[in-house]
Amino acid sequence: MKIDVRAAAPSDIAVDALIAVFFEDEPFTAGPLAGLDAALDGALAACREASELRGRRDEVTYLHAPKGLAAGRLVLVGMGRREADRYQIGRAIAVGVRYLRGKKHASVGVVDRSELGGELFGQLVAEAVESASVDLSAYKTEDRNDLHVEACTVQTDSSREQAVRRGVERGSIVADGIRFARSLGNEPGDKMTPRIMAERAAELAGELGLGIEVLEEERLKELGMGALLGVARGSEEPARLIVLSYEPETATSSDVVAFVGKGITFDSGGISIKPREGMEWMKYDMCGGAAVLGAMRAIAKLKPGRKVLGLVAAAENMPSGKAIKPGDVLRSYSGKTIEVLNTDAEGRLVLSDALTYAIEKGATRIVDLATLTGACVIALGHVFAGLMSNDQEWADGVLAAAGSAGEKIWQLPLDKAYRELIRSDIADIKNLGGRTAGTITAGYFLREFVGSTPWVHLDIAGTAWVEEDRPDIARGATGFGVPTLVELVAPAAS
Ligand code: BES
Ligand code: MN
Ligand code: ZN
């Protein structure tokens, strides 16, 4: 997508479709839409008088060839009542662009919202416009409902132009990282195996000058990564531990932040096999790993002054005559032994070895991302991701980054009292808690492998993909986590 910034009146933006977003409680006679209303001879205010154009959330009003505008169409998108959420505006722009799917418009424009800083506005537009073009039609040969938009003009005034430009630049980079993560997530399980994921990571590293190490089965065996290998044992697809590294020439911080993603490219449950209904969703069980790769892609372009590692523990969880069984004991890379009571609790197994390896590679702070527990979806739904941590300061840092990046994350307690729920009679730990606190016992399991290194675990089981089309995003992978990770190590100027 080509995104341009123009300091001009909204009525002078010559595009196929001009998008303007507005709040329910916002007048048209003053404020961001006043220029448009004047150019349209008061038509917007007149509609409001007639109780039209209420500005309810996601309400789209589409006008053909409006007289007085250089644009061919006007797309008005409601945002509901103004909340303390600056991402309302980004969402509405995405709704406007997605509304144009199936219509043959090649260029869009977006009208400025001056209550936001120019940089943030530019970033929101870029992210929204890019996001709208991702969908699940890659394997359709007919009935595609494509977005034909190829260029976007961001309208602003000359006082904001430079800031909006900087924001567009950053937004395009973040959006590309999100798009990358979503495209990996949306691939079917047979098109996104651990080996293919590693190849994509290697291409990414080559393209952007990141360091890369891919540990293959033989090396994993030599090292003794029994937990990761145990999960992969039932599958014909060999496991991979992917390690990307970003090392700036001059680091301004001695911190090494490591992102660690769960990369289960398909989770059948293994011998503790899942029910047939909905098992197809488990191709998305690598979305934590995809978010790590997407974030590394953006970070390599934004070039922050600190070292960042990106690890993905990639494996396929399948039942077979070779598969691990309930009751088996695995020896993890850390040396700790794990009693496997349910082979479907595989995410914590592959992550445990990756976390140990991240610390060995010098990580001083860690964030892991995983579609780890169905219990997290029960607790927080598809709205918030769960956060657990062994270090409140680091947790606060991640929560703040998520807030700035527009992602919803909620902290759950990781109290020592939960430890006894994963005590094993025959090994150091078991991979299954009881019926209660399933998200926390999974988080606690991971905690046992990070020692005192500040660590945050994000359970993204409810937010990594959406099951139905929404006005602002297509069904499928969301790229959840990419904005937060990028904001954490390469924050936007505020
Ligand atoms: N990948 C699943 C968790 C999941 C389920 C994510 C549904 C998104 C939607 C994970 O590997 C899993 O199977 N977890 C089990 C753990 C249980 C066996 C302790 C679960 O949540 O049922
Ligand atoms: Mn599972
Ligand atoms: Zn899983």
Side-chain angles (χ1 to χ4, degrees):
M1 182 89 54
K2 196 183 156 312
I3 306 181
D4 224 18
V5 179
R6 253 199 86 197
S11 52
D12 289 339
I13 303 293
V15 289
D16 293 339
L18 182 66
I19 297 170
V21 303
F22 65 103
F23 291 104
E24 202 173 304
D25 36 14
E26 177 177 327
F28 291 148
T29 44
L33 264 63
L36 265 184
D37 190 48
L40 291 166
D41 223 358
L44 300 184
C47 285
R48 173 65 65 73
E49 282 299 305
S51 290
E52 294 166 282
L53 275 181
R54 285 168 180 269
R56 295 216 168 100
R57 193 170 88 139
D58 299 342
E59 170 196 276
V60 178
T61 307
Y62 185 67
L63 302 177
H64 291 252
K67 261 210 181 63
L69 298 193
R73 304 280 186 274
L74 181 60
V75 184
L76 293 155
V77 186
M79 293 189 278
R81 289 191 180 280
R82 191 189 295 265
E83 291 159 26
D85 172 8
R86 49 198 193 163
Y87 279 79
Q88 269 179 297
I89 290 175
R91 177 193 167 98
I93 297 166
V95 170
V97 180
R98 268 178 61 69
Y99 184 82
L100 299 172
R101 275 173 310 136
K103 301 179 169 55
K104 291 244 160 80
H105 296 314
S107 61
V108 294
V110 180
V111 175
D112 201 3
R113 292 293 313 192
S114 55
E115 70 264 59
L116 295 180
E119 193 150 349
L120 178 60
F121 177 69
Q123 180 174 346
L124 291 182
V125 174
E127 285 185 27
V129 174
E130 299 283 359
S131 158
S133 59
V134 178
D135 67 19
L136 285 183
S137 65
Y139 290 94
K140 273 189 183 290
T141 60
E142 48 188 284
D143 293 337
R144 295 173 58 114
N145 193 16
D146 285 347
L147 184 75
H148 295 278
V149 174
E150 287 161 6
C152 173
T153 303
V154 189
Q155 181 269 328
T156 188
D157 65 31
S158 50
S159 70
R160 290 162 58 79
E161 189 178 349
Q162 287 316 315
V164 174
R165 260 182 222 289
R166 284 195 302 275
V168 164
E169 201 173 310
R170 178 185 170 86
S172 300
I173 290 172
V174 177
D176 182 61
I178 298 170
R179 179 204 55 75
F180 186 81
R182 290 172 71 187
S183 68
L184 295 189
N186 285 339
E187 285 293 337
D190 67 327
K191 301 286 189 306
M192 192 46 59
T193 61
R195 281 182 293 182
I196 298 174
M197 229 179 151
E199 272 167 32
R200 292 292 165 84
E203 287 161 17
L204 165 63
E207 187 187 325
L208 296 172
L210 294 171
I212 179 149
E213 180 185 24
V214 176
L215 306 186
E216 307 197 345
E217 293 254 305
E218 205 168 315
R219 184 77 187 123
L220 296 171
K221 272 183 204 141
E222 274 170 29
L223 289 171
M225 295 214 185
L228 174 57
L229 287 169
V231 171
R233 202 191 295 157
S235 170
E236 296 292 323
E237 292 290 340
R240 293 285 185 267
L241 181 61
I242 304 165
V243 187
L244 288 176
S245 54
Y246 165 76
E247 290 177 50
E249 277 157 30
T250 49
T252 54
S253 161
S254 57
D255 262 351
V256 180
V257 177
F259 300 140
V260 180
K262 170 177 174 180
I264 298 296
T265 60
F266 188 75
D267 181 12
S268 70
I271 295 297
S272 313
I273 198 161
K274 288 182 179 294
R276 62 180 174 245
E277 285 83 23
M279 200 198 276
E280 67 275 18
W281 295 109
M282 286 296 118
K283 72 171 187 176
Y284 290 111
D285 212 17
M286 36 59 73
C287 282
V292 168
L293 297 183
M296 293 304 285
R297 185 174 171 88
I299 289 162
K301 296 186 201 166
L302 290 170
K303 304 195 193 312
R306 55 157 78 193
K307 192 168 165 182
V308 186
L309 300 175
L311 291 85
V312 182
E316 189 184 62
N317 187 22
M318 296 288 276
S320 80
K322 291 188 298 180
I324 48 167
K325 305 170 293 296
D328 286 358
V329 174
L330 300 175
R331 187 184 177 81
S332 70
Y333 183 44
S334 71
K336 279 193 209 300
T337 55
I338 305 167
E339 183 185 13
V340 177
L341 287 178
N342 188 320
T343 66
D344 198 9
E346 84 297 338
R348 64 199 78 181
L349 298 175
V350 301
L351 284 171
S352 64
D353 280 351
L355 289 168
T356 305
Y357 196 68
I359 292 169
E360 194 180 294
K361 287 278 144 180
T364 58
R365 288 167 190 280
I366 301 176
V367 179
D368 81 65
L369 297 95
T371 46
L372 206 61
T373 64
C376 189
V377 191
I378 302 301
L380 299 174
H382 299 288
V383 181
F384 277 78
L387 178 148
M388 286 140 272
S389 177
N390 63 353
D391 184 289
Q392 194 55 42
E393 215 180 297
W394 183 228
D396 288 341
V398 175
L399 287 164
S404 306
E407 293 195 304
K408 294 190 165 93
I409 294 179
W410 199 263
Q411 186 169 7
L412 302 174
L414 211 51
D415 194 274
K416 293 248 176 346
Y418 292 104
R419 174 64 178 89
E420 69 172 59
L421 298 176
I422 49 174
R423 197 179 56 218
S424 165
D425 293 331
I426 63 166
D428 296 329
I429 196 169
K430 59 181 182 182
N431 80 331
L432 190 64
R435 273 181 51 248
T436 61
T439 301
I440 295 173
T441 51
Y444 213 107
F445 181 98
L446 299 177
R447 179 184 190 159
E448 292 288 303
F449 293 86
V450 294
S452 58
T453 306
W455 153 86
V456 158
H457 159 56
L458 298 178
D459 193 329
I460 60 169
T463 55
W465 72 88
V466 293
E467 302 192 358
E468 299 286 348
D469 275 343
R470 285 194 334 216
D472 63 321
I473 189 169
R475 66 192 274 268
T478 59
F480 189 94
V482 175
T484 297
L485 297 184
V486 173
E487 184 66 25
L488 192 61
V489 297
S494 51

